[in-house]
Amino acid sequence: QLLLEHGASTADRRDGTPILQEALNFNRSTKIAQLLFDNGASCENVGLSPHYIPLNKDLKSKPDRWMDIASYKNKVFCIAFGASTLLVIDGNSEEVRSIPCGVIGSQKWQGIACYGNKLFCAPYSGSDVLVIDGDTEQIHTIPCNVEGEKKWHGIAAYGKKLFCAPHYASSILVIDGETEEVKTIPCDVEGDYKWAGVALCGKKLFCAPYDASS
């Protein structure tokens, strides 16, 4: 800012790293980069510069901790797989913390999707759907009334409904985002490891074949 106040150029360097890139690389200062951009610096040739947010010792203590991730407003939620907590990341400050999920065990949920201010997690080997209030971070569960391991893998929202892709389960899990009522729809395909992941395109939801032939 002092340089700009004294007339420093905001032009990108020739045959060198653009000054916006240098700003982003300097202690990851997006504020400096934004200041330069506001004063006319070019975004040309500014590349992606990944960096890593360290986890504290308590969060690093167990493997297979979190599986899948979704954002709500300025927060990012990682769902518990082997961990007994949810991982919450502040998208602005990059502060990392955890909140108890109230459920113990392994391979609990696989897949998370947002509807309104709620985030729904698909039960993998867990017996319930996990629901997170994105604003208050309050947590509750909805029984899915289906037993077994590795039931659903992936979840996506369409309208007021959320659909979970069958992995070992013989049905699609459907959750009403408003009432939180749960039902199943037979997929008419037997076998294990059928589909993993589901995505919305138009009015259709596509499930990725893991071991399924279609």
Side-chain angles (χ1 to χ4, degrees), residues 11-25 41-49:
D12 287 344
R13 295 182 179 183
R14 291 184 179 178
D15 302 320
T17 304
I19 60 171
L20 259 175
Q21 185 72 62
E22 290 181 336
L24 289 170
N25 292 342
S42 172
C43 287
E44 292 182 7
N45 302 319
V46 176
L48 295 174
S49 181

Side-chain angles (χ1 to χ4, degrees), residues 7-8 36 44 88 99 110 113 128-131 135 146 149 152 155-156 166 169 205 212-213:
L36 291 167
E44 292 182 7
V88 184
I99 53 176
Q110 175 67 278
D128 303 306
V129 177
L130 183 72
V131 185
D135 292 314
V146 176
E149 297 182 343
W152 296 282
I155 182 171
L205 294 110
S213 58

Side-chain angles (χ1 to χ4, degrees), residues 14-15 21 26 35 51 57 69 72 79 81 84-85 90 100 120-121 159 163 167-168 170 198 205 207 211:
R14 291 184 179 178
D15 302 320
Q21 185 72 62
F26 180 71
L35 181 64
H51 69 289
K57 184 178 179 181
I69 185 170
Y72 174 74
I79 60 174
F81 192 66
S84 58
T85 60
D90 187 298
F120 292 81
C121 304
F163 296 82
H167 199 55
Y168 272 35
S170 58
V198 55
L205 294 110
C207 301
D211 269 0

Side-chain angles (χ1 to χ4, degrees), residues 101-172:
C101 67
V103 179
I104 59 173
S106 62
Q107 300 185 341
K108 293 183 282 294
W109 299 284
Q110 175 67 278
I112 178 171
C114 190
Y115 172 78
N117 68 329
K118 296 184 284 189
L119 296 106
F120 292 81
C121 304
Y124 190 63
S125 292
S127 57
D128 303 306
V129 177
L130 183 72
V131 185
I132 309 157
D133 187 303
D135 292 314
T136 66
E137 298 181 8
Q138 294 294 310
I139 294 169
H140 67 278
T141 56
I142 309 167
C144 66
N145 302 315
V146 176
E147 299 298 324
E149 297 182 343
K150 304 176 183 178
K151 296 181 286 293
W152 296 282
H153 190 309
I155 182 171
Y158 172 70
K160 296 182 179 180
K161 300 175 184 177
L162 298 104
F163 296 82
C164 302
H167 199 55
Y168 272 35
S170 58
S171 60
I172 301 156

Side-chain angles (χ1 to χ4, degrees), residues 48-65:
L48 295 174
S49 181
H51 69 289
Y52 305 95
I53 307 170
L55 299 177
N56 64 41
K57 184 178 179 181
D58 292 337
L59 295 177
K60 292 191 293 186
S61 61
K62 187 177 181 180
D64 302 326
R65 292 155 289 178

Side-chain angles (χ1 to χ4, degrees), residues 177-195:
E178 293 283 350
T179 66
E180 299 187 1
E181 179 184 356
V182 174
K183 65 178 182 179
T184 56
I185 303 172
C187 66
D188 299 325
V189 176
E190 296 298 328
D192 299 336
Y193 300 108
K194 292 184 283 293
W195 296 281

